[in-house]
Each structure stands twice: as structure tokens, then as C-alpha cells.
Amino acid sequence: MNPLLKISHLHKSFFNEHGETKVIEDLSFDIKQNEVVTLLGPSGCGKSTVLNIISSLESAQGELLVPKNIGYMFQKDNLFSWRTVYKNVLLGLEIKKMKTKENIEYASSLLNKYGLKDFVNHYPDELSGGMRQRASLIRTLVLKPDLLLLDEPFSALDYQTRLSVQEDVKKILLEEKKSALIVTHDISEAIALSSRIFVLTPRPLKLKKEYVLDFPIDSLPSKRREMCEFQAYFMDIFKELHYENT
Ligand code: ADP
Ligand code: MG
């Protein structure tokens, strides 16, 4: 099967008056259809830059095979406080002039299915952190992206909320049959959500090790956390991130 996304020998530097900052050095990886892949690396290593390159917000050297329709969800939910949940969710459709009857119905069905039916006329400030993240994800999903890019999507949430939103997001990705690339510095989040993890070095970002996780593909984070493999992966990846030589 052809990969959905394929990146080969990606290089990126930023330049300023003090010279060159090398951020990405020879990064290659791919994502297949219906896969959830995580790039796991320390803060400042260049993860967001990789997502910005994939979504054409930044230029770079290397070969990129990227799907046409990409949905990008940031660390902060970026909901507009002056628009209701419903109007926030329809925002992307409005901007892209895709506000058809069919797409509006799809947006409503996602809001109903994922527990926001009674909150469509509320404003973001009236929602819990978890609900806001769900609304933000639905706003991305209504554009029917082939690939979702999720940049540290849970890091602004408190620990308990984070666990329950991870569960929600994984359910939504499975149910809507979506492929996703998540970037995070959180080891347990990576193990809970993905089928493969790429451990990265500090800047300049390089691939250190690939983990192919041996969990059933449709297993939810809560189930994975109960399995003994979870802790074993955690310890192994922790060592890889913090102690092993690059
Ligand atoms: P991460 O998401 O892993 O925390 P980033 O991709 O945001 O890392 O940043 C990686 C490095 O690149 C950082 O040192 C950051 O300061 C630098 N950087 C990011 N964007 C720019 C930019 N537009 N111009 C200059 N340097 C940048
Ligand atoms: Mg970042």
C-alpha cells in the first residue's frame, strides 16, 4: 500500500544575523492510511517545525509526499471566544466556502455524536477544557482531512482531563477512520495513542529510534495503560530519550 505521507531526507535551517540554526537533519519517515504515528522529542527539538513544513507554512529541503487535505490542530484550541461552539465549528467551512447542506449536517452529526449537542449555542468560555478540545477537533474534522496534524494537543490540560481527552480523541480517530501525526514530548501519551513512535534527538532533530507498538490497533488508551507492556515501553523509551548516546 502506498504511504499517505512520505518524508525523505528532510533538512531545515533558520538563518538570522548571527548565522545558521540547524533544526532538522536528514529526517525520513512515512505514515500509512489509518495509522496514528507520534514524533516524540524534547521541547525545542523541532517538532512543530516538522508539522509547519508538512502543512506548507515553512519551506525546507528534501522530498515530501503529502496528502492534499491536511487538518492542523494546535496546542491551544484557538476557539474564538465571541463565536458560539456551533459557529466556531463552522468557521473552516465558511473560510473555505464549503458551507454546503451536507457539510453542515456532518458538523451537526459530529457535535451530537461526541457529546456537544447541548452546548452548541454556548461560548467557549462556558465549556470545560476537555469539551473545548473536542470542539476544536470537530472543527478540524468537518473539513474531512486525509491526515490530521496534532501539535501537543493535550499539554494545556490538567492531568485527569488529559487522560479523558486522550480517550475521546482516540475513539474519534478510530470511529472516523482518520490517520494522524501527533507531536509530543509526553512518553505515556505517545504510547497510549499511537501504532508507531519515532523517538527524536534534541535539536538538530534526527530520528533516534522507531518503536512499533505491539497493541491491538483499536485498543483505547485506558486499556493500554492497564497492560504490562505499557510500563515496559515507558521505561525503554525514557532511557532512549534521556540516557542513550545519540
Ligand atoms: P518544538 O516544537 O520541538 O518545541 P520548534 O519546532 O518550535 O520545537 O522549534 C525548534 C527550534 O527552531 C527552536 O530552537 C526555535 O527557537 C527555532 N525556531 C522555530 N521557528 C523559528 C523561526 N521561524 N525562526 C527562527 N527560529 C525558529
Ligand atoms: Mg512545538
Side-chain angles (χ1 to χ4, degrees), residues 82-110:
W82 60 90
R83 289 177 77 115
T84 61
V85 168
Y86 185 65
K87 289 203 159 169
N88 263 293
V89 163
L90 295 188
L91 184 68
L93 294 175
E94 272 172 32
I95 292 170
K96 295 204 162 189
K97 303 207 179 339
M98 287 167 55
K99 222 171 133 190
T100 61
K101 184 164 171 279
E102 187 200 344
N103 285 339
I104 293 172
E105 277 172 12
Y106 180 53
S108 295
S109 75
L110 290 172

Side-chain angles (χ1 to χ4, degrees), residues 44 46-49 75 151-152 183:
K47 302 182 295 299
S48 297
T49 304
Q75 185 169 351
D151 192 349
E152 312 244 9
V183 306

Side-chain angles (χ1 to χ4, degrees), residues 13-14 20 52 71 81 92 132 149 154 158 183 188 204 208 223:
S13 290
F14 288 111
E20 177 183 6
N52 289 341
S81 59
R132 291 171 65 113
L149 306 179
F154 314 106
D158 67 70
V183 306
S188 58
K208 206 171 177 196
K223 274 276 156 292

Side-chain angles (χ1 to χ4, degrees), residues 176-189:
E176 305 301 320
K177 297 191 171 51
K178 289 293 171 197
S179 316
L181 174 60
I182 301 175
V183 306
T184 183
H185 61 270
D186 184 320
I187 301 172
S188 58
E189 186 171 302

Side-chain angles (χ1 to χ4, degrees), residues 163 167 188 191-192 215 219-232:
L163 293 190
E167 193 81 0
S188 58
I191 303 169
F215 293 117
S219 53
L220 291 173
S222 55
K223 274 276 156 292
R224 290 187 180 196
R225 286 177 202 282
E226 285 171 5
M227 296 164 88
C228 51
E229 291 93 329
F230 193 95
Q231 198 55 27

